[in-house]
Amino acid sequence: EAGVVQSPRYKIIEKKQPVAFWCNPISGHNTLYWYLQNLGQGPELLIRYENEEAVDDSQLPKDRFSAERLKGVDSTLKIQPAELGDSAVYLCASSLGTGRGNEQFFGPGTRLTVL
Amino acid sequence: AQTVTQSQPEMSVQEAETVTLSCTYDTSESDYYLFWYKQPPSRQMILVIRQEAYKQQNATENRFSVNFQKAAKSFSLKISDSQLGDAAMYFCAYRSLGPTSGTYKYIFGTGTRLKVLA
């Protein structure tokens, strides 16, 4: 069974440029998460989707960040414009749901460097 | 609000020895999950072990076991017979169940870097 797929693995851009990250969850997983992980820190949730609905985006900086999961499968996270402080690893995870016992599976992440 | 604290930024253990990683958390909820995740240098986070708060018995997965002290809000991870492949960042995580889907929370600690010495 394929795991959570993310692309690109690495991205280097100049500040004020836009950037997008893509995530394909494990087949059949209804719940999709985007996390931000700063160097030396644990992941912090940006947004959680239940199918195509964003049910928790309280930590997403909506002035520059946006996300979509149009058909309830793969998802895109966008930053426009990027700032120096956005340099981090962006992790995607998925799970069957949020009920008891539903484990999150993580992708390898996208390392963003903003120059 | 729930918090997760890992007070050991880095730990070292000799190969084949035992090491314990500490984690404390704060919550007013009575039912929740606790997890330990491993993140090797390749960055893919892997679930090591999980504990349901309503279960008194400590979870065990092969060489990995936890010491769950609910009253003390402590959740430590013990790795027995440490192997070179155990070297990684280890994150403690708390997951609330929430009365509704919208109040579900997943909170990670800052991590402990484990070094395994040959």
Side-chain angles (χ1 to χ4, degrees):
Chain A
E1 177 181 294
V4 177
V5 179
Q6 290 188 249
S7 69
R9 290 294 305 275
Y10 304 89
K11 187 74 176 179
I12 300 174
I13 61 172
E14 293 191 348
K15 63 180 180 182
K16 300 185 182 179
Q17 295 300 306
V19 65
F21 314 123
W22 177 78
C23 173
N24 191 28
I26 293 173
S27 178
H29 280 195
N30 298 325
T31 307
L32 184 145
Y33 315 76
W34 281 105
Y35 287 91
L36 164 69
Q37 187 177 22
N38 286 306
L39 186 65
Q41 300 292 317
E44 298 173 33
L45 182 69
L46 288 172
I47 189 168
R48 173 169 64 95
Y49 281 94
E50 298 287 347
N51 298 304
E52 66 275 7
E53 182 182 0
V55 296
D56 184 357
D57 62 356
S58 57
Q59 302 302 312
L60 189 73
K62 298 180 184 63
D63 57 336
R64 298 184 299 109
F65 286 65
S66 64
E68 60 183 17
R69 193 185 185 198
L70 294 176
K71 296 183 179 179
V73 180
D74 57 348
S75 175
T76 303
L77 177 69
K78 297 179 182 178
I79 309 175
Q80 182 171 10
E83 297 179 352
L84 295 176
D86 296 332
S87 295
V89 175
Y90 292 83
L91 296 171
C92 180
S94 71
S95 65
L96 279 172
T98 55
R100 282 191 183 278
N102 285 326
E103 176 187 342
Q104 284 194 38
F105 293 84
F106 285 84
T110 296
R111 181 180 295 278
L112 173 67
T113 301
V114 182
L115 303 176
Chain B
Q2 296 90 353
T3 59
V4 176
T5 302
Q6 293 180 250
S7 59
Q8 305 156 316
E10 189 172 293
M11 292 282 285
S12 296
V13 62
Q14 205 70 33
E15 196 175 4
E17 296 295 309
T18 296
V19 65
T20 298
L21 308 184
S22 300
C23 173
T24 59
Y25 60 95
D26 190 25
T27 183
S28 58
E29 298 174 333
S30 60
D31 197 11
Y32 47 87
Y33 277 103
L34 295 165
F35 304 85
W36 279 98
Y37 281 89
K38 172 184 178 181
Q39 189 176 40
S42 65
R43 285 206 311 278
Q44 193 135 10
M45 196 92 70
I46 305 165
L47 179 65
V48 174
I49 197 166
R50 69 178 169 194
Q51 175 79 41
E52 297 179 72
Y54 71 89
K55 290 186 177 179
Q56 292 185 341
Q57 186 173 6
N58 289 325
T60 300
E61 289 286 343
N62 300 314
R63 297 183 295 107
F64 299 88
S65 62
V66 299
N67 183 6
F68 173 49
Q69 301 290 327
K70 190 173 183 180
K73 296 179 182 175
S74 170
F75 182 61
S76 60
L77 174 69
K78 185 171 84 171
I79 306 174
S80 303
D81 186 25
S82 296
Q83 301 175 0
L84 294 177
D86 294 334
M89 283 289 287
Y90 286 82
F91 292 97
C92 178
Y94 169 98
R95 201 200 99 170
S96 65
L97 295 176
T100 65
S101 180
T103 57
Y104 162 108
K105 293 293 181 187
Y106 217 112
I107 300 165
F108 287 80
T110 53
T112 296
R113 181 174 302 282
L114 178 65
K115 295 184 177 181
V116 181
L117 309 173

